[in-house]
Amino acid sequence: MPASRIVYVLNGPNLNLLGQRQPQIYGHETLADVEASCRRVGVELSLEIAFHQSNAEHEIIGWIHEARTRAGGIVINPAAYSHTSVAILDALSACEFPVMEVHISNIHRREAFRHHSYVSAVAAGVIAGFGTEGYGYALRRLAMLIDAA
Ligand code: DQA
């Protein structure tokens, strides 16, 4: 059976404030801009995008569980939960498809507590420091993996 072309793009806490929050770090694009560009790339790559953001860990876990049985992959910017959440790591570990981790900023150039991400342990790839463009790169890589599956 071919891999599903549904891709979940999940965003963690405070990313609803994109464009307003620390623009010197995260840029001027809003989350709506990011969603629109993911949808454009999705059309180009024949991927169906399910785009979500939440400030609540359990909601993100709920979407991961939903994706588990219907998606071909996940692009996730877990935001601060990257550095704290074993629960999100466990949810992603229960998925058999590729997971791409995205950070808008280069977390390795920032405070030491941002250098470790639990999610990286299960990610097929990690993109950090490419600004909001990183989402598009992650989707392109995911499409390649889905095509090759
Ligand atoms: C972030 C980096 C995290 O350390 C931070 O907590 C975020 C956003 C990024 O996209 O650069 O909220 O994931």
Side-chain angles (χ1 to χ4, degrees), residues 8-15 52-68 74-82 84-85 87-92 95 119:
Y8 277 56
V9 181
L10 302 179
N11 295 278
N14 303 302
L15 290 170
H52 299 288
Q53 186 275 333
S54 180
N55 298 320
E57 196 174 22
H58 73 273
E59 266 195 307
I60 297 166
I61 292 167
W63 289 318
I64 296 169
H65 290 175
E66 195 180 282
R68 200 177 151 263
I74 288 180
V75 171
I76 185 165
N77 182 348
Y81 289 143
S82 319
T84 62
S85 182
I88 289 177
L89 167 66
D90 284 350
L92 290 169
C95 299
V119 169

Side-chain angles (χ1 to χ4, degrees), residues 40-53:
R40 272 195 301 275
V41 175
V43 168
E44 191 193 315
L45 300 171
S46 303
L47 299 175
E48 187 185 316
I49 305 294
F51 193 96
H52 299 288
Q53 186 275 333

